[in-house]
Amino acid sequence: MSENPPPADSKDGKSNDGKVDNKKLIATNNVLSTARTSQTNLRGWSPTSGGSVETLKSGLDGIWDSPVAETLSAKMTTAVDSVDSDSGVMATIISDLSSAASQQEAYPGKKVDPNEHSTEANWKIF
């Protein structure tokens, strides 16, 4: 027994069965893509004077020997690591967005009945 092929999509995102694109899923994936690009850009950042994100963490080493320099260096390391680490802010944002996209894809799905899922069908995509 053969199954019917899925309906062809039209240019307006509406399929033959009346379902439309899940715009909430599209928007979530757009933000996820931007977050991943931002993380890549952060990790690849280098100041015009040379160096990398890692040089931010060691920027005060050797400049002067004092408790203030050690404290500031530790604060810089903590700040950079809180953003650019596998458990930092960017990783958390990406993880949360990935989970949200997976949940949307699983239910209600990539295509939704606009009468049953009006939020997803009418989500604003910027």
Side-chain angles (χ1 to χ4, degrees):
M1 181 172 151
S2 67
E3 294 183 13
N4 292 330
D9 294 339
S10 66
K11 289 182 182 179
D12 65 359
K14 196 171 193 177
S15 55
N16 293 335
D17 62 359
K19 291 186 175 183
V20 297
D21 289 334
N22 180 342
K23 292 180 181 176
K24 186 175 183 180
L25 174 60
I26 292 169
T28 302
N29 281 328
N30 288 347
V31 175
L32 176 58
S33 175
T34 300
R36 285 182 173 147
T37 299
S38 295
Q39 184 179 45
T40 298
N41 290 343
L42 176 64
R43 288 184 173 170
W45 175 81
S46 64
T48 55
S49 61
S52 67
V53 171
E54 290 301 312
T55 57
L56 287 174
K57 294 195 271 187
S58 60
L60 295 177
D61 291 352
I63 292 176
W64 78 88
D65 187 17
S66 74
V68 172
E70 290 174 19
T71 300
L72 290 175
S73 183
K75 286 181 179 183
M76 288 170 66
T77 296
T78 300
V80 170
D81 286 346
S82 73
V83 173
D84 184 40
S85 71
D86 291 334
S87 61
V89 172
M90 290 303 298
T92 301
I93 290 169
I94 289 169
S95 176
D96 289 350
L97 287 167
S98 294
S99 293
S102 294
Q103 289 173 351
Q104 278 293 308
E105 195 166 333
Y107 181 82
K110 291 182 180 182
K111 296 280 187 182
V112 296
D113 180 329
N115 296 316
E116 293 178 24
H117 300 282
S118 62
T119 299
E120 288 80 2
N122 296 306
W123 198 269
K124 300 291 181 200
I125 300 175
F126 297 98

